[in-house]
Amino acid sequence: MNLSPFTLRSRTPVLPPPTYTVDLQCACDGSILAAATTDAVVAIYDIFRLSNAPTPSQLLNTSVGAITGEIAFHKGNPMLLWNVEKAAEGRGRGGQVEYEISIKRFQFLPGSFGYFPAHKPGSTFSVNCDETLVAVQGTELSGEDADLMFWDARIPNAPAATFSECHSDDITQVRFHPTNPKRMISGGTDGLLCLFDMSTFDEDEALDKVIKDSSVNRCGFFGPSNEFVYLPDDENPVPREYEITYMVDCKYSDELQRLFVFCGSSTTDNLSVMNVGLEEFSLVYTLNGGHNAVVRTA
């Protein structure tokens, strides 16, 4: 595989320890990098100055408690960033908060929606490709319910629908199709991968297919037309000949039409980039020198 080699250009702590980074996202125009942290802070970096000035150009403090851990830039506006957070009691339910870079997000008050009590914290979310129909937020297991909740992105004051029968354990990830605003998948620790057609908010009608596997940590669409779904196996991530102990994330290259998986090692702190073939993995790069602890996002 003919790929240019990577070299380490800079290292920077987002915030002092024990804070760590849980998600990294790049704006649609490639100019801004956002890093979400465990301290409810989103650090904003100017990508074009990152090598020479590896410090945040802005720290966006969500002010009211931990975000879910996932963030997403608006697909058409690099100055808008989606995230879901727990709002402090007395805060408004939603809207856009203005900063130098604005954050467009859904907030919720624990207990403010009759079917969204405080003991169901948010765990993951996704926004569909046209950003006009729905946003999704998964919730952790409470009793026998693990809910998927849907908002009309234009009317965020209350959920448009709630699906409560698809998963029987914690929902770990939800992802919309990159080009089809009606297609979505969800995965959970119950070992279920659910494919939905969101042309309807009727749960029985929307659930298209269910795949039973081991506990789902990550899932997503990939392929030339995003016609495939990846589902990493955390228990057996890669062949034993590679010094790899955990999986970080999967990324698909439209240019190369290849799926890559990023894996970490608890013994070397290196980050390995693996090419995923139909029948085998192959090592593309070993990125070293950048980290000295567990890598949580790539």
mmCIF file of all heavy atoms in Angstrom, residues 2 14 42 50 54 57 64 74 83 89 114 142 204 240 259 266 268 271:
data_model
loop_
_atom_site.group_PDB
_atom_site.id
_atom_site.type_symbol
_atom_site.label_atom_id
_atom_site.label_comp_id
_atom_site.label_asym_id
_atom_site.label_seq_id
_atom_site.Cartn_x
_atom_site.Cartn_y
_atom_site.Cartn_z
ATOM 1 N N ASN A 2 0.709 2.110 -0.978
ATOM 2 C CA ASN A 2 1.562 3.280 -1.155
ATOM 3 C C ASN A 2 1.005 4.463 -0.377
ATOM 4 O O ASN A 2 0.164 5.217 -0.854
ATOM 5 C CB ASN A 2 1.668 3.621 -2.644
ATOM 6 C CG ASN A 2 2.655 4.733 -2.909
ATOM 7 O OD1 ASN A 2 3.505 5.025 -2.064
ATOM 8 N ND2 ASN A 2 2.557 5.342 -4.084
ATOM 9 N N VAL A 14 -4.018 18.724 26.527
ATOM 10 C CA VAL A 14 -5.223 19.545 26.384
ATOM 11 C C VAL A 14 -5.480 20.300 27.675
ATOM 12 O O VAL A 14 -5.665 21.510 27.682
ATOM 13 C CB VAL A 14 -6.432 18.654 26.016
ATOM 14 C CG1 VAL A 14 -7.697 19.496 25.926
ATOM 15 C CG2 VAL A 14 -6.172 17.953 24.685
ATOM 16 N N VAL A 42 -14.245 21.779 26.081
ATOM 17 C CA VAL A 42 -13.882 21.483 24.696
ATOM 18 C C VAL A 42 -12.766 22.434 24.291
ATOM 19 O O VAL A 42 -12.954 23.653 24.285
ATOM 20 C CB VAL A 42 -15.086 21.638 23.748
ATOM 21 C CG1 VAL A 42 -14.663 21.337 22.313
ATOM 22 C CG2 VAL A 42 -16.227 20.713 24.167
ATOM 23 N N LEU A 50 -1.012 24.463 14.564
ATOM 24 C CA LEU A 50 -0.837 23.467 15.606
ATOM 25 C C LEU A 50 0.620 23.083 15.816
ATOM 26 O O LEU A 50 1.076 22.882 16.940
ATOM 27 C CB LEU A 50 -1.674 22.218 15.280
ATOM 28 C CG LEU A 50 -1.892 21.227 16.421
ATOM 29 C CD1 LEU A 50 -2.548 21.910 17.605
ATOM 30 C CD2 LEU A 50 -2.755 20.066 15.940
ATOM 31 N N PRO A 54 1.208 24.776 19.709
ATOM 32 C CA PRO A 54 0.388 23.635 20.140
ATOM 33 C C PRO A 54 -0.376 23.894 21.438
ATOM 34 O O PRO A 54 -0.298 23.119 22.389
ATOM 35 C CB PRO A 54 1.425 22.530 20.306
ATOM 36 C CG PRO A 54 2.666 23.251 20.719
ATOM 37 C CD PRO A 54 2.635 24.566 19.989
ATOM 38 N N SER A 57 -6.550 27.580 21.096
ATOM 39 C CA SER A 57 -6.888 28.978 20.823
ATOM 40 C C SER A 57 -8.123 29.406 21.600
ATOM 41 O O SER A 57 -8.372 30.592 21.770
ATOM 42 C CB SER A 57 -7.132 29.176 19.324
ATOM 43 O OG SER A 57 -8.183 28.333 18.874
ATOM 44 N N VAL A 64 -21.796 23.229 33.027
ATOM 45 C CA VAL A 64 -22.866 22.622 33.814
ATOM 46 C C VAL A 64 -22.655 21.136 34.059
ATOM 47 O O VAL A 64 -23.561 20.440 34.467
ATOM 48 C CB VAL A 64 -24.229 22.830 33.116
ATOM 49 C CG1 VAL A 64 -24.588 24.283 33.123
ATOM 50 C CG2 VAL A 64 -24.193 22.290 31.696
ATOM 51 N N HIS A 74 -20.871 20.771 12.938
ATOM 52 C CA HIS A 74 -21.904 20.928 11.921
ATOM 53 C C HIS A 74 -21.292 20.611 10.563
ATOM 54 O O HIS A 74 -20.148 20.971 10.286
ATOM 55 C CB HIS A 74 -22.434 22.365 11.959
ATOM 56 C CG HIS A 74 -23.657 22.594 11.139
ATOM 57 N ND1 HIS A 74 -23.609 22.759 9.779
ATOM 58 C CD2 HIS A 74 -24.973 22.699 11.486
ATOM 59 C CE1 HIS A 74 -24.830 22.963 9.314
ATOM 60 N NE2 HIS A 74 -25.676 22.927 10.332
ATOM 61 N N ASN A 83 -22.903 18.995 20.833
ATOM 62 C CA ASN A 83 -22.595 18.070 21.913
ATOM 63 C C ASN A 83 -23.831 17.943 22.790
ATOM 64 O O ASN A 83 -24.751 18.738 22.697
ATOM 65 C CB ASN A 83 -21.377 18.518 22.745
ATOM 66 C CG ASN A 83 -21.703 19.618 23.727
ATOM 67 O OD1 ASN A 83 -21.740 20.789 23.363
ATOM 68 N ND2 ASN A 83 -21.928 19.256 24.981
ATOM 69 N N GLU A 89 -29.777 22.167 37.137
ATOM 70 C CA GLU A 89 -31.180 22.451 37.414
ATOM 71 C C GLU A 89 -31.422 23.952 37.308
ATOM 72 O O GLU A 89 -30.674 24.764 37.826
ATOM 73 C CB GLU A 89 -31.546 21.959 38.811
ATOM 74 C CG GLU A 89 -33.037 22.018 39.087
ATOM 75 C CD GLU A 89 -33.395 21.343 40.389
ATOM 76 O OE1 GLU A 89 -32.483 20.757 41.020
ATOM 77 O OE2 GLU A 89 -34.572 21.410 40.758
ATOM 78 N N GLY A 114 -41.076 13.907 31.197
ATOM 79 C CA GLY A 114 -41.670 12.858 32.002
ATOM 80 C C GLY A 114 -41.031 11.497 31.798
ATOM 81 O O GLY A 114 -41.000 10.679 32.700
ATOM 82 N N SER A 142 -31.447 1.523 32.629
ATOM 83 C CA SER A 142 -32.100 1.872 33.884
ATOM 84 C C SER A 142 -33.260 0.904 34.061
ATOM 85 O O SER A 142 -34.219 0.934 33.289
ATOM 86 C CB SER A 142 -32.600 3.319 33.860
ATOM 87 O OG SER A 142 -33.327 3.598 35.030
ATOM 88 N N ASP A 204 -41.590 -0.350 15.973
ATOM 89 C CA ASP A 204 -41.675 -1.651 15.287
ATOM 90 C C ASP A 204 -41.434 -1.499 13.792
ATOM 91 O O ASP A 204 -40.791 -2.352 13.165
ATOM 92 C CB ASP A 204 -43.045 -2.291 15.536
ATOM 93 C CG ASP A 204 -43.224 -2.727 16.983
ATOM 94 O OD1 ASP A 204 -42.190 -2.982 17.642
ATOM 95 O OD2 ASP A 204 -44.373 -2.809 17.452
ATOM 96 N N ARG A 240 -2.536 -12.363 17.114
ATOM 97 C CA ARG A 240 -1.647 -12.303 18.262
ATOM 98 C C ARG A 240 -0.216 -11.893 17.911
ATOM 99 O O ARG A 240 0.539 -11.466 18.786
ATOM 100 C CB ARG A 240 -1.621 -13.665 18.973
ATOM 101 C CG ARG A 240 -2.956 -14.031 19.599
ATOM 102 C CD ARG A 240 -2.854 -15.366 20.319
ATOM 103 N NE ARG A 240 -4.134 -15.731 20.922
ATOM 104 C CZ ARG A 240 -4.529 -15.359 22.116
ATOM 105 N NH1 ARG A 240 -3.750 -14.590 22.845
ATOM 106 N NH2 ARG A 240 -5.705 -15.739 22.588
ATOM 107 N N LEU A 259 -10.634 0.413 4.837
ATOM 108 C CA LEU A 259 -11.015 0.593 6.226
ATOM 109 C C LEU A 259 -9.784 0.367 7.095
ATOM 110 O O LEU A 259 -9.097 -0.646 6.964
ATOM 111 C CB LEU A 259 -12.110 -0.402 6.622
ATOM 112 C CG LEU A 259 -12.601 -0.331 8.072
ATOM 113 C CD1 LEU A 259 -13.302 0.999 8.336
ATOM 114 C CD2 LEU A 259 -13.531 -1.498 8.391
ATOM 115 N N SER A 266 -0.857 -1.662 25.663
ATOM 116 C CA SER A 266 -0.655 -1.285 27.055
ATOM 117 C C SER A 266 0.790 -1.442 27.492
ATOM 118 O O SER A 266 1.186 -0.959 28.548
ATOM 119 C CB SER A 266 -1.558 -2.127 27.961
ATOM 120 O OG SER A 266 -1.282 -3.506 27.795
ATOM 121 N N THR A 268 3.612 -0.827 25.155
ATOM 122 C CA THR A 268 4.505 0.072 24.427
ATOM 123 C C THR A 268 3.963 1.485 24.292
ATOM 124 O O THR A 268 4.713 2.401 23.960
ATOM 125 C CB THR A 268 4.769 -0.469 23.010
ATOM 126 O OG1 THR A 268 3.540 -0.448 22.255
ATOM 127 C CG2 THR A 268 5.304 -1.894 23.066
ATOM 128 N N LEU A 271 0.642 3.510 18.905
ATOM 129 C CA LEU A 271 -0.645 3.439 18.209
ATOM 130 C C LEU A 271 -0.393 2.794 16.848
ATOM 131 O O LEU A 271 0.389 3.306 16.047
ATOM 132 C CB LEU A 271 -1.238 4.834 18.030
ATOM 133 C CG LEU A 271 -2.656 4.908 17.445
ATOM 134 C CD1 LEU A 271 -3.657 4.287 18.400
ATOM 135 C CD2 LEU A 271 -3.038 6.353 17.148
#
